[in-house]
């Protein structure tokens, strides 16, 4: 619920507004809330993989990172993050490039040498609302 309120308050930012290194003013219209349910005891490893590789590589392939969180006070280890893209097609290109990036493939393989880090992933697509 708090994340939905935060997204609504974003209005329709542009890539340049949330990622000043970008040279474009393309409006962000697609938001993706992703929840990763960590395998038992693997949340710290999952967090490290995102910190060391995931965030930078998602940015490299076109995603705009709006925030990363770890769920607290509830059962299950969850890693939650919010990304934005200018379109659904841009989102698809981002994930295609990310999934096949040699650096990501190697980082994923190394981080899962002692077992998978993620049991399941939930994706929710959002749009900004003008309620506030």
């Amino acid at each position: 619920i708090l994340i939905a309120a935060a997204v609504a308050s974003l209005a329709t930012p542009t890539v340049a507004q949330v990622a000043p290194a970008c040279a474009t003013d393309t409006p962000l219209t697609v938001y993706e809330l992703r929840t990763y349910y960590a395998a038992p005891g693997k949340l710290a490893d999952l967090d490290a993989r995102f910190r060391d590789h995931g965030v930078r590589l998602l940015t490299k392939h076109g995603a705009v990172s709006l925030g990363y969180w770890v769920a607290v006070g509830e059962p299950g280890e969850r890693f939650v993050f919010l990304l934005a893209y200018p379109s659904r097609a841009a989102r698809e290109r981002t994930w295609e490039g990310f999934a096949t990036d040699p650096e990501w493939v190697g980082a994923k393989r190394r981080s899962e040498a002692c077992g998978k880090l993620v049991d399941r992933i939930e994706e929710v697509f959002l749009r900004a609302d003008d309620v506030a």
Side-chain angles (χ1 to χ4, degrees), residues 3 33-39 42-52 54-55 58 65 67-72 75-83 95 104 117-123:
I3 293 171
L33 180 65
R34 294 179 68 94
T35 301
Y36 283 37
Y37 291 83
K42 299 290 188 173
L43 184 60
D45 294 329
L46 179 61
D47 186 67
R49 185 168 74 185
F50 268 90
R51 182 181 56 252
D52 298 343
V55 176
L58 283 166
S65 294
Y68 292 81
W69 301 268
V70 174
V72 295
E77 295 183 316
R78 288 175 291 158
F79 184 80
V80 180
F81 57 105
L82 184 62
L83 301 173
W95 283 98
W104 172 249
L117 302 186
V118 178
D119 280 339
R120 69 183 170 103
I121 300 170
E122 289 180 358
E123 303 164 333

Side-chain angles (χ1 to χ4, degrees), residues 2-3 5 7 30 42 56 66 80 82 94 105:
L2 289 176
I3 293 171
V7 171
V30 175
K42 299 290 188 173
R56 181 175 43 78
L66 299 177
V80 180
L82 184 62
T94 292
V105 172

